[in-house]
Amino acid sequence: MNLSIQIGNLKLKNPVTVASGTFGHAEEYYDSEEVKKLGAIVPKTVTLHAREGNPPPRIIETASGMINAIGIENPGADVFIKEKLPFLRKIGVPVIVSILGHTDEEFTALIRKFNATHGVSALELNLSCPNLKNKTLVAQDPEATFRIMKMAKTVSNVPVIAKLSPNVTDITSIALAAESAGADAVSLVNTFVAMAIDIKTRTSILGNITGGLSGPAIKPIALSMVYQTAKKIRIPIIAMGGIATTKDALEFLIAGASVVAVGTFNFVNPRAPLEILNGIKEYMREHKVKNIKEIIGSIGHKHETR
Amino acid sequence: MPKIQNKFRIISNKKVCQRFHRLCLDAKAIAKNVRPGQFIHIRVSDGITPLFRRPFSVFRARKGIEILYETVGRGTEILASRKSGEYLDVLGPLGNSFSMPPKGTRRVVMIGGGVGVAPMLALSDALAKKGYELVLLYGARTKGHIFKMDEFKKNGCKVFIATNDGSVGVKGYVSKLFSKIETNPQSTVVYTCGPHPMLAAVKQFVLENNLRCEVSCEEVMACGLGACLGCSIKTTDGYRTTCHDGPVFDINKIIF
């Protein structure tokens, strides 16, 4: 059974990973023996300088989902490289580091720092965090997406992935911009801008006023965005958006994703990524699928088969 | 510290007063390792509504793990409907724990507000028969929140109760009972858990009297493991996660 996936020159042994921001820096997750089985790990987004994050409350539970406005709390790239990366490297799974620059120069500086370290298999550019009070996200602008990806590809020694926002009119145009700038893959989707109001105080519950919706509630929308995007681009898609079960993951693969990432559901069931990996293998056995690529993008249309 | 995620059988799940339930889980593996002040993170039902696990302070850890909980929303209502013999997905033990009283301590005062009294039984279990004078000040809204305090008493606690409406004990907030606290900073330590206004009052009292005090904090949590950074609270050291850096903090470090 072949489950391996290629992203640029990076080979993942299987198509199951975690979404950035939902796995901490992996050390929080209790069994690194289990973490070893994943295709890759993606720690929480790192910025050039430390960020203390947004004021609490930072999360709200919603119907089958959650809204978060953490605000990219992280210790900054230097501390991350010194204190977190050695542990991540030791796990022995490809580490895809999610980075966020507030300017083009910060992105360049971040990429140079990671070029100078060992043990980073790929970089994911977080172009789509909705919680930083930016008027426009990079991933809401095809030209900015193209410009930053082009620069990143020029500087980076490792494959570069663009993490895209669903808060756009047409996500495929952003994915195309990333692809034409040389991106090795695209990740979609980040969270949907959302909010909740306390009717007693008539104020927004989140300290940041708005946040990003994630979890099973967004899965059908994310699935449709992956499906639309897969029809337009040739580079691999790393899909995330409410994946909680094997069935969810298979739907994304069938829609055209090459890799599936468990996000919010890690908080509910830390073993979900491994259960999903086992579930995919079982599905392949049951359907006599030898290579995962036979599933990827295999969606047919009912009217064609009738 | 080994964290365990597993399904554990419900031994019993009973109402102990109008507002509170007591759940006992056949979770020896967790009970063996848990320290007072730590919590367990329970998935009240399979499926995706409610989505999050619910964190509960450990009330007692003997043969199994016990929690005391108030039915306040959908999560705890579902939990209250779960029957003995059924299984619950539990992650734990999580978080840090109360530190044991420093040398020279003679008197330990525990202040619980509402269901915040829960970790105090586990604490008094650990401190019983160690020669401390144990005092529990318990503040509740009404008699619907009053349950049998026998287990505290068996641990040697002197129990004082205040209710907002005066239906049991002294009428008023738990701060009405602060006069019961001996204020010698060399020999008295305070542990507390409860709603924010109560904690703010406790903080003021211990500041004025220069007493050591640890507080167990409660926030909405997602992961419970320090990964999502969703339950962070403001402290004098910056934002700290309630689930992983806490739930127990020096009360002077918390910015209410």
Side-chain angles (χ1 to χ4, degrees), chain A residues 15-70:
Chain A
V16 180
T17 184
V18 292
S20 177
T22 64
F23 211 60
H25 295 121
E27 66 200 4
E28 292 84 356
Y29 279 77
Y30 50 100
D31 193 340
S32 57
E33 286 306 306
E34 292 191 326
V35 174
K36 264 182 197 159
K37 295 174 187 160
L38 297 175
I41 45 177
V42 189
K44 185 162 175 67
T45 297
V46 180
T47 50
L48 190 57
H49 306 291
R51 287 181 56 88
E52 72 163 2
N54 286 328
R58 290 175 169 187
I59 53 170
I60 309 164
E61 186 179 47
T62 61
S64 306
M66 73 180 281
I67 311 175
N68 90 79
I70 310 297

Side-chain angles (χ1 to χ4, degrees), chain A residues 27 46 75-89 113-114 117-118:
Chain A
E27 66 200 4
V46 180
D78 290 335
V79 175
F80 172 81
I81 289 167
K82 199 163 154 249
E83 292 176 11
K84 308 286 182 184
L85 197 55
F87 175 83
L88 292 165
R89 207 183 284 141
K113 277 187 192 292
F114 286 103
T117 75
H118 302 288

Side-chain angles (χ1 to χ4, degrees), chain B residues 2-28:
Chain B
K3 290 170 205 144
I4 295 164
Q5 183 196 352
N6 216 333
K7 294 214 168 190
F8 293 104
R9 188 173 56 86
I10 299 171
I11 296 171
S12 62
N13 186 18
K14 285 184 199 140
K15 231 176 171 175
V16 293
C17 61
Q18 192 196 334
R19 300 291 307 165
F20 296 163
H21 278 72
R22 179 178 190 151
L23 171 80
C24 183
L25 288 163
D26 186 12
K28 290 181 201 77

